[in-house]
Amino acid sequence: MSTGPDPSAANAPAIAEAVQGPNVDGVETPYKQERSPFARKVATAYYYLARPQEEETRINAAVIILAAVVYGVLYFAIGSVFLPGHAAWCTLLLWVASNIGAFVAFQLRLPRVIGMLCAGLLMQNLPWSAVDAFPPRWGTQMRAAALATIFLRCGLELDLGTMRRYKYPAIRLALIPGLVEALYDGALATAPALFGMPILLGFTMGFILKAVGPGLVVPAMFKLQKTGLGKDQGIPSTIVISASFDDIVAITGFAIFSHIAITGGPESGNLGWEIAQGPVQVVFGILGGLLGGFIIGCTRIFYSRLIRLVAIYGGALLIMFFLEYYGMLSGGALGSLTIGLATANFWERGLPRCGSLGPSFTFSTEVERFLEVIWSWVMEPMLFVTIGASINFQTLSSGTIPKSLVIICTGKGLWLGESRRVILRMIVTFFAMSRGGYTTKEKIFFALAWTPKATVQAALSATPLAMIQAAKAGQPDYAQWEQWGYDILTTGIFAIIICATLGVLAIHLTAHRFLEMPEESDEGRPQPSHPSGAASNVALHRSLSTMTKRRGTEGGLNQSASAEGRQVGYEDDHTLLHHNIALEDYEVVALYIDAISELSTLVASGKPDEEELQRLSHHVAMMKRRVEQEVGQREVTVRELFRSASLLAANKPVVTSVLI
């Protein structure tokens, strides 16, 4: 791998001694090129397994001090409720334990959610009962809020054009493998040697276990989308779309079967309503989301980014809690997704026209960035730590955990050293995706990417137990039903631990082997990952060509600036885009402005060299991509513009100071 062009002869010794090796997460692996192949493999294994990870460190001195300040304010303002033994204290304790567990899991190369879940299990089963005062109802509401948050993010990140393009493979992926798995796991749960559940309660558990985890799959697919792997085939986009609707199908199936099995049935006299409740929830969720999106689309009212954030997040939570209050959890989840999808499209189209300030492609991106912080710092830790804290090993039957592992290990885990459940899903997914023109490796990747389980299982696994405790209390068979509720809860937790770990690991290990990088354009360059990037590059190239033809012979080209640009490596744009160079946002903006300035000078020269024009046009387009990827689609602040201008005015190219 090249370390970039040599900016000066004095730099030659340093570059000659530079560390060489495969780039992993933007960091060079710690072995030199002259080492033996075996030594390289050992060093690479060390890099993957033993290197401390610092990129996502969350617990530091600043966080601890700020947490202490916030706790002091809450204690002196509210009182003893924040002392040990009270509900608020237990909530804070769970949040701290969840973040510590996430950090430990990250250092062990495990998904962060595994550390959060184990932290909850540990806190609940400590000898001194650290979280006994935590109200179970709080955990239920926190899980509902987390479900609304992740579906709102999915709605904001989905694009209608992409959905229309990949709708058929996404529908097949969302329906066929998951339904087969739900029926398989549900039938297995009814076996007398295992749980011996009623068939409808078994299907309730099956639809909980079938759902793919959007909190794990969606971020992984967005990372692949940025790198370009599988982008030409639409694989990341298809999986993101399918994951959202797979969860909707899972939650809807869960709602139908859980109500019929626990609170309905022929003896209740409400069987027809229980069956119709699933479609009714879908209708209510879609209508509520569309109405909320239409209102929030009025940017004349919601004129600032903070107001828009509060409006759309508050709207999603309102739909979720309102429908959940009336027993329509799946409708609330679908409403949260719909309000995000509708609002983002209303903002992009400037609708409704009477209440909009005009089209904007930045509003949804700004809101999603805030939601990502809320999710990673609050909702995700509380979702998984509360589901872990709901398991008390002392109250479990001695056979619950072994039977749960049997369900997972036959339906979702290992059989004779192989993953039988993965094989089952791979076979079903392979045939489900066979009509999309995908290669065998891509079909296998679809199946592997469809295995992580986390978010929906964490949000729903405790719900059947709560429904049983509310509906079956006082009945002669209450103890048996309560045991089945604990069986479902325990199975869901172990499904998260096993499938989240193996699924995320499978995605990371196979993506670079099974997926292809995007094909190069007609000019030999990869197309930008942003949906509008290709069109903007074509328009830029055409406008520059037109300007070149119309210009006369006036003006001149600053040859020294051009030569200096080539010296620092403008001819190799991959150095700027893919080399691991740490730049501040304002430095990236300065590079972009510098590239535009040089290109403008060339066009104004009257008779620019065609090869030089093409190179600089390419460079501007590539720098635009870097600004979109690193700075983001947002308005550049005045402070950043001033800092960029000061760097350019210093008559010293930014790249030179970075590369040397």
Side-chain angles (χ1 to χ4, degrees):
M1 172 181 174
S2 173
T3 56
D6 188 358
S8 65
N11 236 19
I15 295 180
E17 296 178 1
V19 174
Q20 301 289 331
N23 187 290
V24 183
D25 296 332
V27 182
E28 298 290 345
T29 51
Y31 59 82
K32 294 185 178 181
Q33 189 174 13
E34 61 270 13
R35 293 186 180 180
S36 66
F38 176 77
R40 294 182 190 178
K41 292 181 180 179
V42 172
T44 303
Y46 170 83
Y47 175 84
Y48 277 109
L49 302 176
R51 177 181 59 89
Q53 302 199 95
E54 300 177 358
E55 292 85 350
E56 297 187 14
T57 301
R58 294 172 177 270
I59 306 300
N60 51 40
V63 172
I64 295 174
I65 294 173
L66 290 176
V69 170
V70 172
Y71 176 78
V73 171
L74 293 174
Y75 170 72
F76 288 109
I78 299 177
S80 60
V81 68
F82 284 96
L83 290 178
H86 294 79
W89 164 265
C90 292
T91 303
L92 291 175
L93 190 61
L94 285 172
W95 180 82
V96 171
S98 182
N99 280 279
I100 294 175
F103 176 75
V104 173
F106 179 71
Q107 295 298 328
L108 296 176
R109 272 60 175 182
L110 296 174
R112 295 177 65 250
V113 299
I114 301 301
M116 299 174 186
L117 193 64
C118 293
L121 287 169
L122 178 63
M123 297 302 293
Q124 178 61 255
N125 293 278
L126 286 174
W128 44 281
S129 302
V131 293
D132 283 352
F134 183 75
R137 179 63 180 171
W138 286 19
T140 301
Q141 297 303 320
M142 289 177 182
R143 290 190 286 272
L147 199 62
T149 305
I150 190 62
F151 274 97
L152 175 60
R153 291 186 63 196
C154 288
L156 287 171
E157 292 160 345
L158 288 177
D159 177 70
L160 287 178
T162 306
M163 292 174 62
R164 285 192 294 266
R165 180 179 180 183
Y166 301 113
K167 58 180 179 293
Y168 294 118
I171 290 173
R172 293 196 302 269
L173 185 60
L175 292 179
I176 299 176
L179 290 177
V180 171
E181 181 186 355
L183 297 177
Y184 179 85
D185 290 345
L188 199 63
T190 63
L194 296 176
F195 295 140
M197 295 180 182
I199 185 65
L200 295 179
L201 188 62
F203 287 152
T204 298
M205 187 181 75
F207 274 95
I208 292 176
L209 297 180
K210 79 167 281 293
V212 71
L216 298 178
V217 173
V218 172
M221 292 304 108
F222 285 141
K223 289 181 180 179
L224 292 183
Q225 184 76 10
K226 289 182 178 179
T227 62
L229 287 170
K231 183 176 71 70
D232 281 353
Q233 296 76 25
I235 293 175
S237 301
T238 302
I239 292 177
V240 169
I241 297 169
S242 302
S244 302
F245 289 101
D246 172 80
D247 294 336
I248 293 298
V249 173
I251 296 173
T252 303
F254 162 79
I256 294 174
F257 285 107
S258 63
H259 279 86
I260 297 176
I262 299 173
T263 63
E267 66 279 359
S268 67
N270 296 321
L271 181 60
W273 165 244
E274 298 296 341
I275 296 176
Q277 195 176 43
V280 169
Q281 292 187 51
V282 172
V283 173
F284 283 174
I286 292 177
L287 291 179
L290 290 175
L291 177 61
F294 181 83
I295 295 173
I296 302 171
C298 299
T299 50
R300 292 184 184 274
I301 301 174
F302 306 99
Y303 53 86
S304 73
R305 66 180 65 181
L306 180 59
I307 294 177
R308 289 190 291 270
L309 168 67
V310 174
I312 193 170
Y313 195 36
L317 293 178
L318 178 61
I319 293 175
M320 170 60 76
F321 288 130
F322 175 79
L323 294 179
E324 190 269 342
Y325 181 81
Y326 290 100
M328 300 183 182
L329 181 66
S330 62
L334 182 58
S336 301
L337 184 142
T338 304
I339 195 174
L341 181 62
T343 303
N345 282 274
F346 283 141
W347 283 341
E348 291 178 1
R349 289 166 172 77
L351 300 175
R353 301 192 185 282
C354 59
S356 175
L357 295 174
S360 174
F361 291 89
T362 62
F363 290 168
S364 59
T365 306
E366 294 168 351
V367 170
E368 202 280 328
R369 282 183 178 147
F370 281 111
L371 290 176
E372 196 278 332
V373 174
I374 295 173
W375 167 256
S376 60
W377 275 97
V378 181
M379 292 301 173
E380 186 184 35
M382 295 309 299
L383 169 65
F384 289 98
V385 78
T386 55
I387 192 64
S390 61
I391 290 290
N392 189 333
F393 292 129
Q394 295 180 352
T395 62
L396 291 180
S397 172
S398 58
T400 297
I401 294 179
K403 292 177 180 178
S404 298
L405 293 177
V406 169
I407 294 285
I408 297 169
C409 292
T410 55
K412 306 180 79 63
L414 303 178
W415 177 66
L416 295 180
E418 299 290 339
S419 180
R420 184 177 181 181
R421 180 205 163 270
V422 170
I423 293 176
L424 174 65
R425 284 189 71 117
M426 284 177 62
I427 294 174
V428 176
T429 306
F430 186 91
F431 288 105
M433 307 306 293
S434 60
R435 297 180 59 187
Y438 301 107
T439 65
T440 302
K441 289 184 177 181
E442 290 167 349
K443 295 173 189 175
I444 296 175
F445 180 80
F446 271 116
L448 294 175
W450 218 231
T451 56
K453 312 290 180 181
T455 314
V456 175
Q457 287 74 24
L460 298 184
S461 293
T463 304
L465 177 60
M467 295 175 65
I468 289 170
Q469 292 172 339
K472 299 290 186 180
Q475 297 186 10
D477 56 351
Y478 171 73
Q480 178 62 70
W481 278 89
E482 186 181 38
Q483 180 59 47
W484 285 332
Y486 278 114
D487 293 339
I488 294 174
L489 174 60
T490 307
T491 305
I493 288 178
F494 281 99
I496 295 173
I497 294 175
I498 295 175
C499 295
T501 305
L502 297 180
V504 172
L505 184 63
I507 290 175
H508 290 307
L509 290 180
T510 60
H512 292 274
R513 293 175 173 85
F514 289 175
L515 301 183
E516 297 179 357
M517 291 297 292
E519 295 181 1
E520 293 188 346
S521 65
D522 295 337
E523 292 157 346
R525 304 185 298 269
Q527 294 293 344
S529 60
H530 191 273
S532 62
S536 63
N537 286 345
V538 173
L540 174 63
H541 183 71
R542 288 178 178 174
S543 63
L544 289 173
S545 301
T546 304
M547 290 172 62
T548 303
K549 294 177 181 178
R550 291 181 179 177
R551 293 284 183 181
T553 58
E554 48 203 58
L557 172 64
N558 188 343
Q559 298 291 343
S560 62
S562 176
E564 190 174 27
R566 286 193 297 272
Q567 182 183 12
V568 298
Y570 281 173
E571 67 268 36
D572 186 6
D573 297 291
H574 292 281
T575 301
L576 297 175
L577 272 174
H578 303 296
H579 198 282
N580 183 39
I581 300 176
L583 294 178
E584 298 290 343
D585 282 357
Y586 70 91
E587 292 176 324
V588 178
V589 174
L591 285 172
Y592 187 32
I593 296 173
D594 194 15
I596 294 175
S597 176
E598 186 176 357
L599 180 59
S600 302
T601 304
L602 175 63
V603 173
S605 65
K607 292 184 178 180
D609 180 68
E610 287 294 333
E611 183 179 352
E612 184 73 4
L613 178 64
Q614 183 179 1
R615 183 185 63 79
L616 289 177
S617 301
H618 180 207
H619 177 63
V620 170
M622 297 290 279
M623 286 309 305
K624 176 179 179 291
R625 286 185 60 194
R626 179 157 186 175
V627 170
E628 289 176 349
Q629 292 174 0
E630 299 189 12
V631 181
Q633 295 178 356
R634 61 174 173 79
E635 296 178 0
V636 181
T637 64
V638 176
R639 180 179 179 84
E640 287 175 328
L641 288 177
F642 276 122
R643 297 183 74 178
S644 303
S646 64
L647 280 176
L648 296 174
N651 198 21
K652 181 177 70 172
V654 181
V655 185
T656 304
S657 62
V658 173
L659 290 179
I660 293 179

